[in-house]
Amino acid sequence: MDAERWNRVQTLFKEIIDLDKDSQAERLRDLYRTDPQLYREVSTLLAADSDETSILDGFAVDRIDLSGLFSLSGSVVGPFELVEKIGEGGMGTVYEARRVEGGFDQCVALKLIRHEFGTDRERQHFERERRILALLEHPNISRLIDGGVTGSGIPWFAMELVEGIPIDEFCREHKLPADSILELFSHVLVAVRFAHRNLVVHHDLKPVNILISENHGEPMVKLLDFGIASVVDDAHHTEARAMTMAYASPEQKQGSITTTSTDIYSLGVIF
């Protein structure tokens, strides 16, 4: 969103927020008929407003994710400049970024906590993912490169940028025979075993989190996204966790105690 459109959104918000409920509904219906996208943008701001807090006071805006309304490309986070958004899920948004400080070139995948997950509890979860990645220095796991907090207090970390395709797509596209699939999958097992030996349970193993890239003509496994991972000491509880149902273990679906066997089940489904 450019500055002119953002001003238009703000002007409409200020106009509509002062109307009574019936007039608001009528005005929004008219807006939806004339410009559905503008309707969604204004509605996002209205939804963030409450009786106690006005977005114009600078509080409600901290609870919503404005990245969908305007591009963050060109913004600088730590020593990196954001290039484009490449993924979103869980509590974070991931951008391709390039280093602009330090005197050398480097491209990374930079993850920022989403605004609507800015509570203390969710920040702790986000920072836990960063700590877990710091434990996992392995050639088959996307490595942590840097991390910190922005000037406005938003946690971030930069990971190795992996350019690859999900393991199931790779096997289909290359029409791999059974022995090649076994060889490739053995590297996945090695990566997961390394995580388990460091007392880390991934909790969300699925093909899109196992990318295959080319390394000197050879397939290279990279395990991604430890956003809902935990260390084993923390995993022995029944706290509700996000999951991908198609690959989730029975204990995850039941909300029971999870252990490293949770990942083993998901690996079996993937295989």
Side-chain angles (χ1 to χ4, degrees):
M1 179 189 295
D2 58 26
E4 181 179 348
R5 188 168 180 85
W6 175 237
N7 287 334
R8 174 67 172 148
V9 171
Q10 288 182 302
T11 299
L12 282 169
F13 172 84
K14 294 174 185 178
E15 171 194 328
I16 295 172
I17 195 64
D18 289 331
L19 300 175
D20 59 62
K21 295 298 182 183
D22 291 339
S23 298
Q24 279 188 6
E26 182 179 356
R27 184 70 180 89
L28 286 170
R29 281 194 296 269
D30 291 340
L31 184 59
Y32 182 79
R33 285 193 291 267
T34 58
D35 192 332
Q37 180 60 33
L38 188 59
Y39 161 82
R40 286 190 289 271
E41 292 162 354
V42 173
S43 295
T44 299
L45 300 190
L46 290 169
D49 191 78
S50 68
D51 291 336
E52 297 83 11
T53 305
S54 168
I55 194 169
L56 304 179
D57 295 329
F59 296 105
V61 71
D62 291 333
R63 300 197 302 275
I64 64 172
D65 183 10
L66 296 178
S67 61
L69 302 185
F70 54 87
S71 173
L72 292 179
S73 298
S75 301
V76 175
V77 176
F80 301 99
E81 179 183 357
L82 304 184
V83 177
E84 62 177 335
K85 184 165 73 172
I86 57 175
E88 189 170 57
M91 294 173 292
T93 302
V94 182
Y95 298 86
E96 180 181 346
R98 63 182 182 88
R99 184 178 287 275
V100 291
E101 296 178 9
F104 61 95
D105 294 330
Q106 185 180 42
C107 289
V108 301
L110 191 145
K111 190 170 186 178
L112 282 164
I113 195 168
R114 288 162 57 189
H115 286 280
E116 67 266 41
F117 291 103
T119 66
D120 289 342
R121 183 169 179 271
E122 302 304 339
R123 284 171 182 264
Q124 289 171 4
H125 279 284
F126 188 87
E127 289 166 358
R128 180 183 64 191
E129 179 184 3
R130 188 166 60 187
R131 290 195 301 271
I132 285 173
L133 284 172
L135 294 172
L136 301 178
E137 284 284 344
H138 189 276
N140 296 120
I141 297 176
S142 178
R143 73 184 187 280
L144 180 69
I145 292 174
D146 203 348
V149 179
T150 68
S152 57
I154 300 173
W156 64 273
F157 58 84
M159 303 164 286
E160 175 185 6
L161 179 63
V162 180
E163 296 181 353
I165 62 175
I167 188 170
D168 55 344
E169 292 182 22
F170 183 88
C171 291
R172 284 196 295 268
E173 287 185 9
H174 290 79
K175 296 182 172 59
L176 295 187
D179 57 346
S180 297
I181 293 174
L182 285 167
E183 172 65 22
L184 188 64
F185 203 74
S186 70
H187 293 286
V188 179
L189 300 180
V190 168
V192 175
R193 180 176 63 182
F194 178 82
H196 289 176
R197 285 182 172 176
N198 282 274
L199 306 181
V200 173
V201 181
H202 189 284
H203 279 114
D204 197 25
L205 291 171
K206 53 189 176 183
V208 295
N209 285 338
I210 304 170
L211 296 189
I212 311 299
S213 58
E214 297 285 341
N215 182 29
H216 301 294
E218 295 294 325
M220 181 71 177
V221 168
K222 286 289 184 179
L223 189 59
L224 311 177
D225 197 355
F226 285 77
I228 60 172
S230 67
V231 295
V232 170
D233 287 346
D234 294 333
H236 288 74
H237 54 63
T238 58
E239 177 187 341
R241 288 183 179 276
M243 69 185 78
T244 303
M245 293 299 290
Y247 300 94
S249 67
E251 62 268 22
Q252 283 179 293
K253 295 176 181 178
Q254 296 165 6
S256 302
I257 293 172
T258 57
T259 66
T260 52
S261 63
T262 297
D263 285 349
I264 301 301
Y265 182 93
S266 298
L267 288 170
V269 177
I270 294 166
F271 188 68

